Amino acid sequence: MTFPSAEPPHWSRPGSDEPRLNRPVPERYPQIRPTSGYADPRVVHSGPGPGAGTEQEPERSAVLSARLVIVLSVVAGQLWALNVGVDAWMQGRTGTAWWCTGFEALSFVIALGAWWLGPRDR
Amino acid sequence: MTGTTDPEEALRDRISADSLTSRRDYLRVMTTVSGGLLVGSVAVSAGVLHRHGDAEAAEVPELRVADRLARGQAVLFNYPGEHDRAMAVKLADDTVVGYSTVCTHLACGVLWKEHRGEEGELYCPCHEGSFDIRTGAVTGGPPPRGLPKVLMVERADGSVWAVGTAFSDESVRHAACRQLGAIRPGTTVPSCPSGGGN
């Protein structure tokens, strides 16, 4: 297909007709930084470091991630135990259902402990 | 950086554009979920869910469900409670079996399909669950448990009666002993475990 002029047709030109919308992404969205997504929204003065929002205490961050993983694993186990408990109760095995409840209680204590562990990261 | 002149305002903008749920928030939410699951489990064990056959055995009289039942024929009735939907089927060898018609998967109505399988089967059309007609056990599909049973007898005059219930996957003997223990506490029956099957 040929065009009458060297200019591509209007509909095939990339970008917008408005030049301000064709600026590079960092200029159009100054809120988006390479570090976006890492900062706690409650932090208003991030202090010195490689850049606002970057991790200042990597060990503390790792511990927070580990606590989160523990709690998620505990909740997965609780979902399984609830399934077993409902089945047991429906089959008339009430004792097994109460054992599952005990397991749930123990799991909750572990989750609560994992949450309670980091007084600065709750 | 261009676009915003006031650095403090730019900082506030950037922070507000960050993720609204932090790991700390997620940790707190999941710990709360964990507590919720504990509460749910206590409720289940304490008996908040309706279970077919939970009506006190002493309060439920035998129920005549049909004057006569032909081979391959099924009859619907409510037993032991007025909201406990059940079905009795007479098989080709004249055995009469009874089951709850509430599917153990998502509580849809279970149907008697005479021409499915070797002897016919109980079939849930919602998610294609199927149950063995002799035992009530799951033979296919997503149901997690077998159907609760209704213990049926056919008397000499051909009438069909519902006389008791059994939980999902519970043996008839265990159910009969359990209900005997509820009606007459302290009764000792040699073939029953101590405590009337409880």
Side-chain angles (χ1 to χ4, degrees), chain B residues 107-121:
Chain B
C108 289
V110 172
L111 308 174
W112 161 235
K113 293 286 184 184
E114 189 179 358
H115 302 296
R116 286 175 68 103
E118 290 183 7
E119 296 186 285
E121 68 181 11

Side-chain angles (χ1 to χ4, degrees), chain B residues 5-197:
Chain B
T5 51
D6 185 0
E8 193 174 333
E9 191 181 338
L11 178 65
R12 200 163 287 129
D13 273 357
R14 188 187 64 71
I15 290 173
S16 64
D18 277 334
S19 171
L20 294 177
T21 305
S22 67
R23 283 176 298 173
R24 295 160 188 82
D25 294 333
Y26 197 27
L27 185 65
R28 196 163 47 239
V29 167
M30 293 315 289
T31 305
T32 308
V33 167
S34 174
L37 287 171
L38 170 61
V39 171
S41 184
V42 170
V44 166
S45 298
V48 78
L49 297 178
H50 177 71
R51 182 169 55 178
H52 188 103
D54 257 350
E56 286 297 327
E59 296 172 5
V60 181
E62 296 179 350
L63 177 70
R64 185 186 184 115
V65 300
D67 294 334
R68 189 166 294 277
L69 212 53
R71 285 177 185 164
Q73 193 181 3
V75 61
L76 292 169
F77 55 96
N78 291 330
Y79 185 86
E82 58 178 311
H83 300 296
D84 293 318
R85 291 173 284 150
M87 175 193 290
V89 181
K90 188 165 187 178
L91 304 181
D93 64 354
D94 288 338
T95 307
V96 179
V97 292
Y99 298 101
S100 161
T101 58
V102 180
C103 183
T104 54
H105 179 222
L106 290 176
C108 289
V110 172
L111 308 174
W112 161 235
K113 293 286 184 184
E114 189 179 358
H115 302 296
R116 286 175 68 103
E118 290 183 7
E119 296 186 285
E121 68 181 11
L122 294 164
Y123 173 72
C124 177
C126 288
H127 301 95
E128 302 202 330
S130 56
F131 302 88
D132 186 283
I133 190 60
R134 290 218 173 254
T135 62
V138 180
T139 55
R145 299 174 300 278
L147 287 174
K149 300 179 190 70
V150 178
L151 311 183
M152 309 297 303
V153 293
E154 187 177 21
R155 298 212 168 134
D157 63 355
S159 61
V160 176
W161 294 71
V163 297
T165 55
F167 297 136
S168 288
D169 303 320
E170 186 185 30
S171 71
V172 171
R173 173 187 287 189
H174 190 276
C177 291
R178 177 171 53 79
Q179 286 168 34
L180 186 64
I183 296 169
R184 296 180 193 139
T187 306
T188 305
V189 179
S191 58
C192 287
S194 60

Side-chain angles (χ1 to χ4, degrees), chain A residues 62-122:
Chain A
V63 168
L64 177 60
S65 295
R67 288 160 60 208
L68 188 55
V69 167
I70 289 170
V71 172
L72 288 174
S73 305
V74 161
V75 168
Q78 282 186 295
L79 286 170
W80 169 80
L82 186 62
N83 193 37
V84 172
V86 169
D87 269 355
W89 193 82
M90 284 292 186
Q91 290 167 341
R93 294 183 287 121
T94 311
T96 307
W98 279 113
W99 274 111
C100 289
T101 300
F103 178 85
E104 297 269 358
L106 187 64
S107 301
F108 176 59
V109 168
I110 292 170
L112 201 61
W115 171 76
W116 190 259
L117 257 178
R120 289 197 296 164
D121 293 314
R122 283 187 210 142

